[in-house]
Structures are given as structure tokens and as C-alpha cells.
């Protein structure tokens, strides 16, 4: 949207105007760029990056062996899942992945390199930020923006932390900090000492040991260290058994669930967790190794981060004699190495100070609100992502006990929610306001790590209760940021003019072995997902109750809606749909002069599953349904997969069908599932049920309208389709399972049906949207029409969901278009249907298939990508 020019201090010149400025082109910034351009389309944005490359941390750090600490299935972008089963990945691969993602989605076109943001000033009168930018060798710049998103990380890129070691000036060897690793450093056959015990140290040691003569990890005190495989066997299994999108979701939720459960267990039973970790270490080292000396910290698990070593590489280097751990204190540096308090001297050609980071919030940007400097340490953090009493600003700050990207993606999506809410309601400002005296400040991070303790003076605080509480829990944050109420009594919304009076807001809401623990955590995670699926199912059923009546058909319950009087029309919906696909718009248009019967196909909507999901088995059950209601040769309307079922009904049970009106029907075997339904392609019934009751529901919620957008493309999805159109019902486990079975079985019967199309002598009308992106009108429409003696194909503007998006044209086609019109006129009332069919010859007997121009079609009758049968076009 266009924005007004904000007030710029006199003499500052003209500033560029944007809707959003993102600071930083690392994981957080690229994620935010994707979210803003997809969830707030049309808004202008730029990503300002102080360095000359994409990647942030993963471009800056180049020390040997740098790799992910959390698994890549949670560290990767949710919208472009990590493409490998290498769960613990190297820095080069991660850097390439970030850059490739930026290019693939066009985010790189919004990045401006060499721009260091030094100051951001907010004006409430204009409801705008003025962002001041420094450029090396160029004049400063200013950008005015409506919303500022800080994705600049939490530490100082200029230098890491190195303690003031005594005698360091006497040391004759090379002294290196991992944050600025020399590209030409050669440690081949040299003695290396790595000072530190954190994630960087345990990564460096085994990597350096591959070429060095010997590597010593010198630590003042131990750290908890856990080994895990670098490759994820679960990821391999899911990608072999499930469609890619579902496999990605399953792997991610497995990692999230295990992480949450393991962390909760560690906090509740710290002694048990400590014993389990040490047991795992003992299994990796010789029997007489003093594990307690080098691997038993003085604090509880997760008081500081637990270090991960992939494939036990650190322990392997130690077992091979290439590396050792020394727990002692540095007394002083000597010309040849390090003298320890114990009296021992470590000789070293190279000393690596893996001694930590220097935290720097907001990338060191100075913040001002209406001329007053903001000290973040004096503020509270709202939902872990906004600073109290600072308008229209969000910061990406990930988890300390899980993947950084998990929280940052939630934060970016919440910022999008705020912007959409302001646009919809005419607001200009959103400000988390701290005015509750019962909320007491607490440290933002509950870690005892040195780098955290050193940063307490610059970090904002969390509050004693929500929404100021920092959960460090993805599930809780997902609920709060994706589904929580925006106007919660703390987040206040204002208009730029007269901003002293806030918009009224709602009242505030009250706020063993390692393997055994892993197994227990997995069971808890699966149980939690199943419970979530069950609760979501109940919620969905309350929103979308059964609309019609039920009838027992050979012991299987079928749900149907019977409306209107006149000639009978039976309507069969498509894949992953139900009767509301027709009642959304078509039912009222047809029920004025026809008896319209909508059915939920077996297993769909509120109908019980049939004996099998095959097309012919479903047709047989619908034939019994037609007989149970004593319907005499109704016109059968089938959409998409419902069109294939309608065809099977006419082929196998001709007595149940008076004619066919097929809307975007599936008529030919498919080599692969359409992308909109690819997540349903689960071959194994056991895997199908497991997915239905675990990840299908949260995956559907997180994906939002993504599947519906693909099905409706290129037309928009109606805002109320999830409820009024019944779209949300597919998230119910039973409906997901049935839809998956339908998709997998779709090709079973089609080859034989194709061979029998020439024997269909009843009238068949076919309607397609010329822009259908699910089923090709040429393959499933024109080719099919050539095979059937009495078939006519009509094309109209639209996509696959024309019963919803083009109801007037679709209803008109059912009534009066070509053969559908003549078919219904020929049947008269239900009582004389049989007489009419026997006494009157079909008006179509001597006609060949034709393509008939529908509303909006060119006069030539031709449409892009659709071949016209060799016949007269009218």
C-alpha cells in the first residue's frame, strides 16, 4: 500500500518510502522476507544487510567443521524444508541453502548489501520509522517505513569474547578466535589447544584432529555432551513411505515433539537426565576414563545449552589418541603454550579461543521513540518478539533450547497478522503496552552461561506472566502467535492522528537410558498429537455440522441432503471434498425447479467409508443409495474424482443413471497426483492412519489455505470456503485417511473404464474451466469426448473449482447447455421418466462429439491448450 511521507528532520533530504524494512539477511531476514511478500502481498519491503553476502552467521563463521547444532528439519525454512536426510549439516551447505532459498523466491532482489543501520527513530505523529543507514565509502541513506523488523541476530559481528589472559603477549604461536578464522591457517601436524567447552569447541576439536598432530580441549568446567547420528533414519523412512510434504512435516514435528518432551523431562527430573547423559558418555570412552572430571557439570541439564556431537566424532577422536580434554584453569600464556594452575604446561603451536560471543541486541542500532532514547534493558519483551512501549517493531529472537528458526518464523508470521489487522481496521500503530503492576521483571534468558550473564545489562526482561513470559516452547508459542487474539488488552492499536487515545481493546486474558527417554518422549509426542487431532476434530465438527439426513445402505451410513422438487439431480463431489462443495453456491440455484440430492461420497464428509476406496466400489454403493431412495434414472452430476465415480456408475449400473453432467471430471489414468493433493499420496494403510492421527491436523493448520489455493488456482479461494464450503473437514483424521485412500486407488479402475467408454450411449455433457490447473481439459475433457458416442464438451473461464467460483454459468450449463439441457427436458417429471426414455428417441443419436462455446468463450470456440474435436462448433 502507498504510505504518506513521514516527517524528516530539517536538512536531511528526501528519504525513500517503504512499508517494511528488515534488518539482516541471515536465516531470520530471509524467512521474514518470504513471509511479508506472501502473507502481506503488495507491501514494499527491503532487507538491509551490513555485510556483502547472504547468510548471516553461516556466512560469517568459517572455522573448520562448523555445522548446525539443532537438526536442519527445524533450523531450515518451513516453506522450503531441508532437502536432505543429513540432519546435522555443515556450514557451507547451510549457507548455500539460505542463498538458494533467497534466489528461488525472489527475496534476493530485495536485499541491499553494505547497508549498516545505525539509528531508527519513531514518530507517533506520522506513525513511521526513519531508518538511518551508513555505507562504506558512500553517503548515508535514510528510509522511512511503516514497520521495522530486526533480524540481525543477538551478537556482535565485529569480535567475539576473549578473556584477558595473563602473558598472552609473550605467546610466540598463533592465537585465533573462531569468529574470525584465517582462511590461510594451516594446522597440519601442529599441536593445537582449543580453550572452551561449548558448541564451538566440541565442533572444532574433532575437525582439527583430522590433520593436527594433537588437539587439546582446555576447559575450566565441563559441559553436558550428547551424541546423535548426523543422518536421520526417521527422515529416510518417512520420505520413502510418505509424500514429500507430509514427510517433511512428520520429520519436523518429530524433532519438535522430542525436543519439547526431552527438555520438559530434563527440567522436571534433572538428576535422572544427568545420569542418562553420563551413561551415554561412558559408553563412548574407555572403562577407566574419569567421566565425572571432564563431563559432569556443576549445573543441571539445560541450565546451559547441551552440546551435540554428531556420530560421536569427538569421542572417536579421543579414543584414537588424536584429541584429549583437560579440565583446568589458565594460569598464564608462555612463549610455547599455556601454563595451567595445576602446574602442567600445554605446548601449543596454535591456540584457539573458543571462549564465547559478545551479545549485541538489535545489531547495535540506536532506538528512539518520539525523541526519547530506548534502552532495551529497561523494557519487557512481549511474546518473545516485541519491546514494550515501542510501536511497530519486531525482533527475531530464537529459542535457546531448540532451533532458532522455529521461533523466528512464528515471529514473522505474527508481524504479518498485525499488519493485516491494522490495514483491515484503519490502524497505524500497534504497541505492546506495559501498564500492569502485577507483572514483575525476570531475566529474559534463564541460562547461567557466561555470554548470557555478560549480556544481562543490554537484554530486555521477560515478565512474570503472559504475554510477557518467554516460554521457550514452540507448541505454546504456536498457539499464542498463530491463534492468539491480537487485541488482548496488552497490544494496543492507534491511529496516527490523535494517537493519544488508544483504540479500545478486549480485556486481558489470564494467563533410564537415553534411548528410553527418547522413546518415552516419542510416545508422549505422538499421544499429544493424537489428542490435538481429536480436539481439533471436535472443534471442526462444531463449526461444520452435518447438514442433511442419514440413510443406512447395506450397513454403511451415508450422509445426504435432499432439497427441492422436480426432475432429480444427484451430485457427487470430488477428492477431499464433501457435499458443501455444491451447497456453497449451486444448490440454491438448482433447487428452485429440480429435486437436488447432494451426497457425501463413502468416507468423505459424514458418510462412513465403503468396503474399499476404489472408484467402482464407490459407484456400487451409490447405486444402492439410488435404489434405496427409489430414484428413477436421475441426472448424475460428478465433479473431479466424483466425475470418475459417476462414469463408473453409468458403466456398471446403467439402470441408476439417466444422463451424466461431468464437471472437470477425472477420466484418464494419472501418472502422478496433482500437486494440490500430493500430500495425500500415502500408499501404506498403516502409514496413512498414523499420519491422519498425528501430523495431518497440525500440518493442515500450519499450511493454512495453501492446499485450497492450489486447488482453486488461478481463481481466489472464497474467504468462507473452509466453513461454508466445508474445506476444513478434510483435516479430520477419518476424512484425511479416506481422501488419501481415494487418491491412491484412483487409477485402479480407470484403465478398464477407458476401454468401455465407447459403450456409453446415454447423453454425457462435460464442463471444464479452461484454466484448470488440476486436471488438463485436453486430456480429461476433449480426449474423453472423442471416446463417447454422445458427449459434448463445454469450456468456460475459470479453474478447477468452477462449481464454487462460477455457479451461475455452471447452473446454467446443467439446465440448458447442450445435451444437459436436452437430457433434463426429455425426462420431464420423475413419474414419466421411464416412459419418456422408452418412447422418445434420443435427440443425440446421430450426433458426433462437439466442443460447445460456454459463457466468456471466444467465438471460434477454441481455448488455449484444448483441441477442438473434428465436428461442427456451435
Amino acid at each position: 500500500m502507498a504510505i504518506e511521507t513521514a516527517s524528516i528532520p530539517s536538512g536531511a533530504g528526501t528519504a525513500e518510502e517503504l512499508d517494511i524494512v528488515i534488518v539482516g539477511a541471515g536465516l531470520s531476514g530471509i524467512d521474514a522476507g518470504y513471509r511479508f511478500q506472501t502473507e502481506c502481498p503488495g507491501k514494499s519491503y527491503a532487507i538491509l544487510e551490513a555485510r556483502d553476502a547472504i547468510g548471516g552467521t553461516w556466512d560469517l563463521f568459517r572455522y573448520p567443521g562448523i555445522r548446525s547444532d539443532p537438526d536442519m528439519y527445524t533450523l531450515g525454512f518451513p516453506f522450503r524444508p531441508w532437502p536432505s536426510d543429513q540432519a546435522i549439516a555443515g556450514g557451507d551447505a547451510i549457507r548455500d541453502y539460505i542463498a538458494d532459498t533467497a534466489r528461488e523466491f525472489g527475496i534476493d532482489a530485495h536485499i541491499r548489501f553494505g547497508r549498516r543501520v545505525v539509528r531508527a527513530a519513531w514518530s507517533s505523529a506520522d506513525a513511521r520509522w526513519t531508518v538511518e543507514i551508513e555505507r562504506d565509502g558512500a553517503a548515508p541513506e535514510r528510509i522511512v517505513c511503516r514497520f521495522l523488523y530486526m533480524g540481525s541476530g543477538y551478537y556482535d559481528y565485529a569480535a567475539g569474547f576473549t578473556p584477558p589472559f595473563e602473558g598472552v603477549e609473550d605467546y610466540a604461536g598463533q592465537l585465533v578466535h573462531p569468529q574470525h578464522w584465517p582462511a590461510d591457517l594451516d594446522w597440519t601436524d601442529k599441536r593445537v589447544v582449543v580453550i572452551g567447552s561449548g558448541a564451538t569447541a566440541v565442533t572444532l576439536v574433532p575437525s582439527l584432529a583430522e590433520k593436527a598432530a594433537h588437539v587439546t580441549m582446555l576447559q575450566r568446567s565441563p559441559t553436558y555432551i550428547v551424541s546423535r547420528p548426523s543422518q536421520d533414519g526417521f527422515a529416510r523412512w518417512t520420505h520413502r513411505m510418505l509424500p514429500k510434504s507430509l514427510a517433511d512435516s512428520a520429520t519436523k514435528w518429530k524433532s519438535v515433539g522430542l525436543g519439547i518432551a526431552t527438555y520438559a523431562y530434563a527440567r522436571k527430573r534433572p538428576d535422572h537426565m544427568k545420569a542418562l547423559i553420563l551413561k551415554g558418555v561412558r559408553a563412548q570412552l574407555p572403562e577407566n576414563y574419569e567421566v565425572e572430571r571432564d563431563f559432569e557439570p556443576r549445573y543441571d541439564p539445560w541450565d546451559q545449552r547441551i552440546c551435540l556431537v554428531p556420530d560421536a566424532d569427538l569421542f572417536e577422536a579421543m579414543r584414537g589418541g588424536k584429541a584429549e580434554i583437560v579440565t583446568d584453569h589458565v594460569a598464564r600464556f608462555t612463549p610455547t603454550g599455556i601454563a595451567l594452575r595445576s602446574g602442567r604446561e600445554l605446548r601449543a603451536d596454535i591456540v584457539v579461543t573458543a571462549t564465547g560471543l559478545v551479545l549485541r541486541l538489535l545489531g547495535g542500532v540506536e532506538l528512539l521513540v518520539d525523541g526519547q532514547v530506548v534502552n532495551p534493558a529497561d523494557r519487557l519483551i512481549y511474546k518473545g518478539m516485541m519491546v514494550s512501549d515501542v510501536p511497530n517493531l519486531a525482533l527475531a529472537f530464537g529459542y535457546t533450547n531448540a532451533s532458532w528458526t522455529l521461533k523466528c518464523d512464528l515471529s514473522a508470521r505474527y508481524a504479518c497478522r498485525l499488519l493485516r489487522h491494522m490495514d483491515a481496521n484503519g490502524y497505524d500503530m500497534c504497541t505492546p503496552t506495559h501498564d500492569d503492576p502485577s507483572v514483575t521483571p525476570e531475566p529474559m534468558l534463564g541460562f547461567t552461561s557466561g555470554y548470557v550473564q555478560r549480556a544481562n545489562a543490554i537484554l530486555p526482561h521477560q515478565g512474570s506472566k503472559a504475554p510477557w513470559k518467554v516460554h521457550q516452547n514452540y507448541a505454546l508459542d504456536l498457539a499464542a502467535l498463530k491463534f492468539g487474539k491480537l487485541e488482548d488488552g496488552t497490544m494496543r492499536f492507534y491511529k496516527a492522528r490523535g494517537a493519544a487515545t488508544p483504540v479500545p481493546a478486549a480485556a486481558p486474558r489470564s494467563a533410564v537410558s537415553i534411548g528410553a527417554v527418547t522413546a518415552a518422549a516419542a510416545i508422549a509426542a505422538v499421544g499429544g498429537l493424537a489428542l490435538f487431532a481429536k480436539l481439533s476434530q471436535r472443534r471442526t465438527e462444531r463449526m461444520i455440522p452435518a447438514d442433511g439426513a442419514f440413510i443406512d445402505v447395506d450397513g454403511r451410513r451415508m450422509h445426504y441432503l435432499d432439497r427441492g422438487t422436480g426432475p432429480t439431480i444427484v451430485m457427487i463431489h470430488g477428492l477431499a471434498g464433501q457435499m458443501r462443495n455444491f451447497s456453497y453456491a449451486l444448490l440454491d440455484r438448482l433447487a428452485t425447479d429440480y429435486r437436488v440430492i447432494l451426497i457425501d461420497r463413502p468416507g468423505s464428509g459424514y458418510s462412513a467409508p465403503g468396503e474399499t476406496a476404489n472408484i467402482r466400489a464407490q459407484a456400487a454403493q451409490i447405486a444402492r443409495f439410488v435404489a434405496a431412495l427409489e430414484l428413477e434414472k436421475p441426472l448424475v452430476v460428478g465433479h473431479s474424482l466424483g466425475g470418475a465415480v459417476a462414469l463408473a456408475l453409468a458403466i456398471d449400473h446403467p439402470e441408476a443413471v439417466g444422463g451424466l453432467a461431468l464437471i472437470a471430471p477425472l477420466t484418464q489414468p494419472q501418472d502422478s497426483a496433482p500437486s494440490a493433493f500430493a500430500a495425500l499420496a500415502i500408499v501404506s494403510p498403516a502409514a496413512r492412519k498414523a499420519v491422519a492421527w498425528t501430523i495431518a491436523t497440525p500440518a493442515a493448520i500450519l499450511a493454512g489455505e495453501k492446499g485450497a489455493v492450489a486447488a482453486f488456482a488461478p481463481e481466489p479461494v472464497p474467504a468462507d470456503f473452509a466453513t461454508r464450503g466445508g474445506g476444513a473437514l478434510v483435516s479430520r483424521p477419518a476424512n484425511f485417511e479416506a481422501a488419501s485412500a481415494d487418491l491412491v486407488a484412483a487409477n485402479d479402475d480407470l484403465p478398464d473404464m477407458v476401454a468401455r467408454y465407447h459403450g456409453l450411449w446415454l447423453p454425457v455433457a462435460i464442463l471444464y474451466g479452461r484454466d484448470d490447473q488440476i486436471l488438463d481439459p485436453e486430456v480429461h475433457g476433449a480426449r474423453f469426448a472423442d471416446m463417447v458416442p454422445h458427449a459434448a464438451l463445454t469450456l468456460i473461464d475459470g479453474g478447477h473449482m468452477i462449481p464454487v467460483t462460477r455457479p451461475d454459468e455452471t447452473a446454467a450449463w446443467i439446465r440448458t447447455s447442450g445435451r444437459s439441457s436436452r437430457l433434463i427436458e426429455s425426462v420431464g417429471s420423475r413419474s414419466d421418466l421411464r416412459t419418456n426414455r422408452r418412447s422418445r428417441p434420443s435427440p443425440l443419436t446421430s450426433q458426433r462429439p462437439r466442443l460447445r462455446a460456454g459463457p466468456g468463450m471466444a467465438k471460434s470456440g477454441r481455448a488455449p491448450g484444448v483441441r477442438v474435436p473434428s465436428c461442427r462448433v456451435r
Side-chain angles (χ1 to χ4, degrees), residues 270-475:
D271 292 340
H272 285 207
M273 180 58 73
K274 175 186 284 193
L276 292 170
I277 293 173
L278 294 182
K279 182 179 179 181
V281 172
R282 288 190 184 95
Q284 296 289 343
L285 295 173
E287 186 174 349
N288 60 346
Y289 193 96
E290 295 185 42
V291 169
E292 289 77 9
R293 178 194 64 200
D294 295 334
F295 292 95
E296 184 176 5
R298 296 186 293 270
Y299 54 85
D300 288 335
W302 281 116
D303 283 350
Q304 298 182 23
R305 286 187 70 96
I306 293 177
C307 290
L308 170 71
V309 293
D311 302 320
D313 58 1
L314 173 65
F315 301 115
E316 182 180 348
M318 295 175 66
R319 290 194 303 267
K322 294 282 287 180
E324 67 172 331
I325 293 179
V326 173
T327 304
D328 207 330
H329 288 71
V330 175
R332 62 171 289 116
F333 273 69
T334 69
T336 57
I338 299 173
L340 306 178
R341 285 186 186 176
S342 62
R344 179 181 176 184
E345 181 176 356
L346 299 177
R347 296 178 63 86
D349 303 301
I350 301 171
V351 173
V352 181
T353 55
T355 46
L357 307 168
V358 175
L359 266 63
R360 191 183 190 196
L361 194 67
L362 303 173
V365 175
E366 181 185 27
L367 288 184
L368 293 91
V369 173
D370 295 328
Q372 300 297 312
V373 175
V374 174
N375 180 6
D378 297 335
R379 307 297 177 103
L380 296 184
I381 193 83
Y382 174 81
K383 295 191 175 181
M385 59 165 288
M386 299 181 77
V387 179
S388 61
D389 302 308
V390 177
N392 291 32
L393 179 138
L395 57 92
F397 204 101
Y399 295 117
T400 56
N401 64 344
S403 171
W404 180 266
T405 317
L406 286 173
K407 178 59 182 292
C408 295
D409 183 67
L410 289 178
S411 300
R413 301 192 76 173
Y414 183 77
C416 292
R417 287 186 67 199
L418 289 173
L419 286 169
R420 293 196 303 268
H421 184 73
M422 288 193 289
D423 286 348
N425 294 279
Y427 303 147
D428 301 294
M429 303 164 56
C430 58
T431 307
T433 306
H434 174 37
D435 56 5
D436 184 352
S438 69
V439 176
T440 57
E442 299 174 356
M444 179 179 171
L445 303 177
F447 273 11
T448 60
S449 305
Y451 72 97
V452 173
Q453 297 301 309
R454 292 191 298 270
N456 281 337
I458 65 168
L459 291 176
H461 291 74
Q462 65 171 314
S464 54
K465 61 183 181 181
W468 305 105
K469 195 76 175 175
V470 177
H471 296 300
Q472 301 294 348
N473 183 301
Y474 179 70

Side-chain angles (χ1 to χ4, degrees), residues 32-351:
Y34 174 84
R35 293 304 182 190
F36 285 124
Q37 73 183 24
T38 55
E39 299 190 15
C40 297
K43 290 198 179 299
S44 57
Y45 78 93
I47 301 176
L48 306 180
E49 169 57 52
R51 303 174 73 249
D52 294 321
I54 296 173
T57 297
W58 300 103
D59 181 72
L60 174 69
F61 283 94
R62 301 296 182 104
Y63 60 80
I66 180 173
R67 53 168 171 75
S68 60
D69 196 7
D71 65 89
M72 289 305 301
Y73 305 110
T74 54
L75 187 67
F77 299 112
F79 53 88
R80 186 175 180 254
W82 180 247
S84 167
D85 63 0
Q86 193 74 26
I88 308 301
D92 289 348
I94 298 172
R95 184 171 61 252
D96 291 344
Y97 165 73
I98 297 171
D100 290 345
T101 301
R103 283 191 292 270
E104 179 176 333
F105 294 100
I107 303 166
D108 58 338
H110 296 266
I111 302 174
R112 304 180 188 183
F113 296 104
R115 267 77 168 181
R116 183 182 305 280
V117 178
V118 295
R119 187 171 180 266
W122 171 262
S123 166
S124 293
D126 299 291
R128 297 294 185 268
W129 286 99
T130 298
V131 180
E132 299 182 10
I133 304 159
E134 285 185 353
R135 300 175 61 191
D136 292 338
E141 293 180 355
R142 290 190 175 190
I143 297 178
V144 174
C145 66
R146 181 186 180 193
F147 197 93
L148 183 59
Y149 189 88
M150 302 300 298
S152 48
Y154 64 97
Y155 63 89
D156 191 345
Y157 275 34
F161 175 74
T162 302
F165 294 115
E166 184 179 348
V168 70
E169 65 278 359
D170 299 329
Y171 177 58
Q174 289 182 278
L175 188 66
V176 178
H177 193 285
Q179 189 163 322
H180 298 287
W181 192 269
D184 58 352
L185 182 65
D186 183 12
W187 60 94
T188 304
D189 297 328
K190 294 183 179 181
R191 301 185 68 84
V192 182
V193 172
V194 177
I195 303 175
S197 60
T200 302
V202 301
T203 300
L204 274 166
V205 169
S207 182
L208 294 173
E210 294 176 3
K211 295 194 303 180
H214 189 268
V215 181
T216 300
M217 188 173 97
L218 173 59
Q219 59 181 18
R220 290 185 305 174
S221 59
T223 298
Y224 290 109
I225 299 177
V226 175
S227 175
R228 64 172 285 184
S230 61
Q231 290 188 317
D232 192 315
F234 180 82
R236 286 200 301 272
W237 180 85
T238 55
H239 281 83
R240 187 173 66 249
M241 298 295 295
L242 305 177
K244 184 178 184 307
S245 59
L246 274 181
D248 291 335
S249 293
T251 304
K252 171 185 171 179
W253 279 100
K254 180 269 298 182
S255 296
V256 168
L258 286 177
I260 291 173
T262 303
Y263 178 77
Y265 183 83
R267 304 312 283 171
K268 186 174 182 179
R269 307 291 295 273
D271 292 340
H272 285 207
M273 180 58 73
K274 175 186 284 193
L276 292 170
I277 293 173
L278 294 182
K279 182 179 179 181
V281 172
R282 288 190 184 95
Q284 296 289 343
L285 295 173
E287 186 174 349
N288 60 346
Y289 193 96
E290 295 185 42
V291 169
E292 289 77 9
R293 178 194 64 200
D294 295 334
F295 292 95
E296 184 176 5
R298 296 186 293 270
Y299 54 85
D300 288 335
W302 281 116
D303 283 350
Q304 298 182 23
R305 286 187 70 96
I306 293 177
C307 290
L308 170 71
V309 293
D311 302 320
D313 58 1
L314 173 65
F315 301 115
E316 182 180 348
M318 295 175 66
R319 290 194 303 267
K322 294 282 287 180
E324 67 172 331
I325 293 179
V326 173
T327 304
D328 207 330
H329 288 71
V330 175
R332 62 171 289 116
F333 273 69
T334 69
T336 57
I338 299 173
L340 306 178
R341 285 186 186 176
S342 62
R344 179 181 176 184
E345 181 176 356
L346 299 177
R347 296 178 63 86
D349 303 301
I350 301 171
V351 173

